[in-house]
């Protein structure tokens, strides 16, 4: 029978994983994983238990087969988020104190939710999108927000019943960070008239189908600064790499056009091709750890959505300098393989046990708390003006930037509770956090003019960014910096090649050429090892066989039966044959 997927909050289910390592059998570590419905699943692991065990444990709890879309996420003591790597031990990845707290979340959003085979997988994706809507990650215009909210109400409550549902029944349910009375009335109208008769599974499917067409579907925004010093939010979707500024998408670079992702310190680079021209986008994060997390997320998403087979995935280096920087490789299946595997599932559909609406802690814990944006102040890469911000303040309008996922208190979103430090985080006040004034965290009120009122031509950061990119002086400056970087790298490589030996140079050339067959490197390494072994063993044998040195340990070796047999049966005939050949060659030389 299929186990219950929605235990009440704080309910614990225990499971112990036994690892084959004998040295760690006496040490067990408690892990708690918060699920999408905010229930908790606990287990005991050992020191060398890998991350894949935890992911399999959660999937077995759900009876989930289409598990490649999901992952386990955790937050380190510096409040930096990470995805748990399946091929590494959990203990080596976790920097926090025991017991470990993690979250089960959607890691790769399906490009076409209709191709998901099982209702259970669609339900888990629905729970994730419901969280994205509530926590402000899914950009919703007013009409779309009303429809998505109505689908959630239909899935959770069923058909509208005048006897059971009072006139303001939507007000008791928190669908968006803040929802206006006009939005609630629109949701009730759609729920009463358009969705009647739909089952929970059908309402969830309609919600997925509508949500996946939005620009921010699947976007996990990473806050950063662009080269002008303006705040931007980067994300990765099934289509490609996206950049949001203010409440507009200013860049979309498809995966086929992204040639390389790399980072150095706090600087993240996206190198690609747009309109047949090379494009280099530069962004600055708050910490090196945040930059590395951004890079790894980009590498994984590009491999998952771009590659046709997992065998095509290559190890990626964070820098193009030889043996420098971090190296990382996505180790799972790719999207096309997941879809093919889903089409071959032949089992009876598992039972889906849905939680009742409003039971999740995430819907209650945010109602009386401010939202915390966990982003340290960043130093602009170049001096930038804030004229559009000042003008917006003077006119009484406020620009609300995209809410970063770790921007909420950790207890609210990821299930971790951290104490707030005075001055350590940027608090978004209730006045600034106005859903009807921004398109990003929740719907735009069409009667107020929508997004057009938020930006004038002078105020638009997207327009400012385009003007800066079009400035010939800035373009010349950027091109000069890139030329200096390329010249510096060529100088370093040339200096290394002069100082290294022939074998080291050949290995370096082979490893830097991506088209060289991997077996050639193996042959070179094998030859190197053989030559090294011969350089050690041949002088040692000559010392034993030809020298007159009579040290005690050499004398003992010469007296052994094995050595005498080797000396008289193999070495002496070989030496006589070599001397005979040499004498014959000398005679022929003298006769000529």
């Amino acid at each position: 029978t299929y186990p219950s997927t929605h235990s009440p909050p704080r309910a614990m289910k225990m499971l112990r994983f036994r690892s084959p390592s004998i040295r760690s059998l006496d040490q067990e570590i408690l892990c708690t994983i918060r699920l999408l419905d905010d229930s908790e699943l606990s287990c005991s692991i050992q020191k060398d238990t890998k991350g894949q065990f935890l992911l399999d444990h959660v999937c077995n709890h759900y009876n989930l087969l289409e598990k490649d879309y999901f992952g386990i996420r955790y937050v380190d003591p510096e409040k930096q988020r990470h995805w748990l790597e399946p091929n590494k031990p959990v203990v080596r990845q976790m920097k926090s104190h025991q017991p470990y707290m993690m979250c089960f979340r959607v890691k790769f959003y399906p490009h076409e939710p209709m191709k998901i085979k099982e209702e259970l997988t669609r339900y888990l994706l629905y729970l994730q999108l419901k969280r994205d809507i509530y926590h402000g990650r899914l950009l919703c215009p007013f009409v779309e927000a009303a429809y998505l909210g109505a689908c959630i109400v239909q899935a959770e409550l069923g058909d509208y019943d005048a006897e059971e549902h009072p006139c303001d029944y939507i007000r008791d349910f928190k669908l968006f960070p803040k929802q206006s009375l006009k939005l609630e009335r629109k949701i009730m109208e759609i729920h009463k008239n358009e969705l009647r008769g739909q089952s929970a599974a059908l309402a969830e499917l309609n919600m997925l189908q509508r949500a996946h067409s939005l620009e921010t579907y699947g976007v996990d925004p990473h806050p950063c600064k662009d080269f002008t010093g303006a705040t931007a939010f980067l994300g990765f979707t099934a289509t490609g790499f996206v950049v949001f500024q203010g409440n507009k998408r200013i860049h979309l670079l498809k995966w086929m056009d992204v040639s390389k992702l790399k980072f150095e310190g706090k600087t993240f680079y996206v190198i690609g091709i747009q309109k047949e021209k090379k494009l280099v986008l530069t962004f600055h994060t708050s910490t090196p750890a945040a930059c590395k997390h951004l890079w790894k997320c980009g590498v994984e998403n590009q491999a998952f959505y771009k590659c046709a087979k997992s065998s095509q995935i290559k190890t990626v280096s964070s820098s193009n300098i030889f043996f420098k920087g971090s190296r990382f490789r996505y180790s799972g299946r790719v999207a096309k393989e997941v879809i093919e595997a889903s089409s071959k599932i032949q089992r009876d559909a598992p039972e889906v046990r849905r939680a009742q609406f409003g039971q999740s802690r995430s819907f209650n814990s945010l109602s009386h708390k401010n939202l915390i944006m966990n982003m340290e102040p960043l130093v602009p890469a170049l001096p930038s003006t804030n004229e559009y911000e000042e003008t917006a303040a003077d006119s009484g309008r406020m620009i609300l930037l995209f809410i970063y996922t770790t921007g909420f208190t950790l207890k609210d979103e990821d299930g971790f509770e951290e104490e707030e430090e005075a001055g350590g985080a940027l608090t978004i006040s209730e006045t600034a956090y106005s859903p009807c004034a921004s398109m990003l965290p929740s719907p735009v009120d069409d009667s107020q003019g929508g997004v057009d009122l938020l930006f004038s031509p002078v105020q638009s950061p997207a327009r400012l960014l385009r003007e800066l990119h079009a400035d010939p002086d800035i373009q010349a400056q950027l091109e000069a910096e890139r030329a200096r970087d390329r010249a510096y790298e060529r100088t370093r490589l040339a200096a290394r090649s002069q100082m290294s030996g022939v074998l080291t140079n050949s290995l370096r050339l082979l490893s830097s050429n991506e088209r060289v067959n991997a077996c050639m490197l193996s042959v070179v390494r094998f030859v190197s090892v053989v030559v090294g072994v011969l350089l050690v063993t041949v002088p040692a044998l000559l010392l034993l066989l030809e020298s007159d040195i009579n040290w005690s340990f050499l004398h003992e070796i010469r007296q052994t039966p094995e050595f005498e047999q080797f000396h008289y049966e193999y070495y002496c005939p070989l030496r006589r044959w070599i001397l005979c050949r040499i004498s014959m060659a000398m005679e022929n030389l003298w006769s000529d």
Side-chain angles (χ1 to χ4, degrees), residues 192-204:
K192 292 178 183 178
N193 302 325
E194 299 183 22
L195 304 181
R196 178 172 294 276
Q198 291 188 7
S199 63
L202 182 57
E204 293 162 2

Side-chain angles (χ1 to χ4, degrees), residues 375-424:
M375 184 179 71
E376 299 177 2
L378 296 172
V379 179
L382 294 174
S384 62
T385 62
N386 294 325
E387 296 178 359
Y388 58 91
E389 295 179 0
E390 296 172 0
T391 307
D394 294 338
S395 62
R397 295 189 298 267
M398 184 167 293
I399 298 173
L400 180 63
L401 296 177
F402 206 35
I403 302 298
Y404 184 42
T405 49
T406 58
F408 297 90
T409 52
L410 296 178
K411 180 180 179 181
D412 299 333
E413 166 54 16
D414 283 345
F416 309 99
E417 186 172 9
E418 299 287 347
E419 297 180 359
E420 301 176 10
E421 299 178 0

Side-chain angles (χ1 to χ4, degrees), residues 8-28:
R10 302 296 181 186
M12 299 286 185
K13 292 191 175 182
M14 301 296 296
L15 181 66
R16 293 184 178 180
F17 288 126
R18 289 294 179 184
S19 179
S21 177
I22 299 177
R23 51 185 177 168
S24 60
L25 288 176
D26 56 343
Q27 183 178 4
E28 292 186 348

Side-chain angles (χ1 to χ4, degrees), residues 505-521:
N505 287 335
S506 63
L507 286 174
R508 182 173 299 170
L509 291 173
L510 288 172
S511 60
S512 62
N513 187 357
E514 296 180 356
R515 298 182 179 179
V516 175
N517 196 318
C519 66
M520 294 298 296
L521 283 175

Side-chain angles (χ1 to χ4, degrees), residues 55 128 133 176 234 241 246 277 279 300 317 341 397 409 436 454 475 483 491 505 510 531 536 567 577 583 586:
L55 183 59
Q128 179 67 64
I133 292 173
F176 297 90
L234 315 184
F241 167 75
K277 293 183 179 179
L279 177 68
E300 289 187 315
S317 175
R397 295 189 298 267
T409 52
C436 293
L454 296 178
Q475 287 294 328
T491 303
N505 287 335
L510 288 172
V531 171
V536 175
H567 182 269
W577 181 82
S583 62
M586 294 297 293

